[in-house]
Amino acid sequence: VPHIIIYFQNHLDQFLNGYQKMVLYLIGLGLGDERDITVRGLDAVQSCDVVFLEAYTSILRVDKIKLEEFYKKTIHIADRNCVESEADELILKPAKLGQNVALLVVGDPVCATTHTDLMLRARDEGIPVELIHNASVMGAVGACGLQLYNFGQTISIPFFEENWRPTSFYSKIKYNKDGGMHTLCLLDIKVKEPDYNIMMTGKTVYMPPRYMDVNTAAKQLLEAEEIHGQGACTKDCLAVGLSRLGQPDQCIIAGTLEELVSQDFGEPLHSLIICGETHDLEMEMMKQFMISSSQYTRIHK
């Protein structure tokens, strides 16, 4: 018996260290490039045995190679199928086997329901989860001058297709507008979407990525207004288009919703705000972003 006790004493630290390694890290990368990760986040990445980059709810403007060079880790791309359908096998199983696993998320890890679902599944498997936050578009939109506590429900705008033009988001814009609140519109991203016409021939081919721009979103909002006609997003309402928030070349343009249809916002990612009631301080801050000849400025002098 004594030699058994001595054996367990000698191996206790090894056992505990192995148990402590079994962590799933969800790490926010911020909005810019490889350098936007926090110090705490970088420490966590470098402690991990397996590192995934979630690559379908948002994008960074740097490629995987740059991240690997900066983080000094091999990174595996996690597409929608990996995170939503194969996470138990590819992401959670290594953690259950005693490895540190990181899922890198552009922005902040708790801004998408996909990541919440992954946390719940990890909890059900008894896997400790550690969140490491970072900047996200949900806060960065304040750069346009609108105050964050004046925002209501956030909506997502999907690409309209020929036979599928959903406008369920309209009621939320109307609800926010009735309460004097601004509406942040997150715009659709299509990554690794299969070409269904080619799939009918028995082959799987993915279409090029598509990122909705402010121009398309504004057109679709105007179409939704024509359908519902309740004044939530009229052509003369004040709106703000934003692109590449948190990056050196970020672009912010304010004007009427109709005017934003023809503005150049450059490369993705884009987002859009439908303004509610604006305070004097908000308008003063937004002057620098207002289209010089905006109809909104002329009407509201």
Side-chain angles (χ1 to χ4, degrees), residues 122-146:
R123 183 192 67 183
D124 292 343
E125 295 288 345
I127 300 169
V129 177
E130 184 169 337
L131 285 171
I132 300 178
H133 298 284
N134 210 319
S136 78
V137 68
M138 307 292 281
V141 293
C144 73
L146 295 173

Side-chain angles (χ1 to χ4, degrees), residues 53 62-69 74-77:
L53 172 64
V62 294
D63 60 26
K64 182 173 76 82
I65 295 173
K66 273 200 170 183
L67 295 181
E68 290 177 328
E69 290 173 350
T74 298
I75 295 175
H76 308 280
I77 297 296

Side-chain angles (χ1 to χ4, degrees), residues 110-254:
V110 294
C111 289
T113 53
T114 293
H115 310 133
T116 302
D117 176 69
L118 183 62
M119 286 187 281
L120 291 173
R121 282 191 276 171
R123 183 192 67 183
D124 292 343
E125 295 288 345
I127 300 169
V129 177
E130 184 169 337
L131 285 171
I132 300 178
H133 298 284
N134 210 319
S136 78
V137 68
M138 307 292 281
V141 293
C144 73
L146 295 173
Q147 297 172 359
L148 294 179
Y149 58 77
N150 289 334
F151 279 77
Q153 299 179 68
T154 298
I155 68 164
S156 296
I157 302 180
F159 277 110
F160 283 0
E161 306 294 345
E162 184 178 354
N163 299 312
W164 188 71
R165 309 178 81 79
T167 59
S168 55
F169 53 77
Y170 185 89
S171 60
K172 292 185 179 180
I173 302 175
K174 182 66 167 61
Y175 178 88
N176 290 344
K177 199 91 166 191
D178 289 345
M181 297 177 288
H182 313 310
T183 302
L184 171 61
C185 308
L186 302 178
L187 310 186
D188 201 3
I189 296 174
K190 297 288 189 185
V191 178
K192 206 174 180 181
E193 291 286 315
D195 188 320
Y196 294 105
N197 291 326
I198 295 179
M199 282 183 70
M200 294 173 65
T201 67
K203 299 179 182 178
T204 300
V205 175
Y206 297 104
M207 295 187 291
R210 288 193 295 157
Y211 308 100
M212 185 182 289
D213 53 32
V214 171
N215 318 88
T216 300
K219 290 176 186 176
Q220 293 189 182
L221 286 167
L222 292 172
E223 181 176 327
E225 180 61 42
E226 286 183 13
I227 294 169
H228 295 278
Q230 298 177 39
C233 46
T234 63
K235 66 178 184 178
D236 295 323
C237 76
L238 181 60
V240 185
L242 314 98
S243 58
R244 301 175 303 286
L245 281 174
Q247 300 176 25
D249 63 343
Q250 73 176 19
C251 175
I252 302 174
I253 302 174

Side-chain angles (χ1 to χ4, degrees), residues 29-45:
L29 299 185
L31 299 171
D33 55 28
E34 72 277 11
R35 299 168 299 167
D36 277 21
I37 192 170
T38 63
V39 174
R40 182 175 161 219
L42 183 59
D43 288 343
V45 169

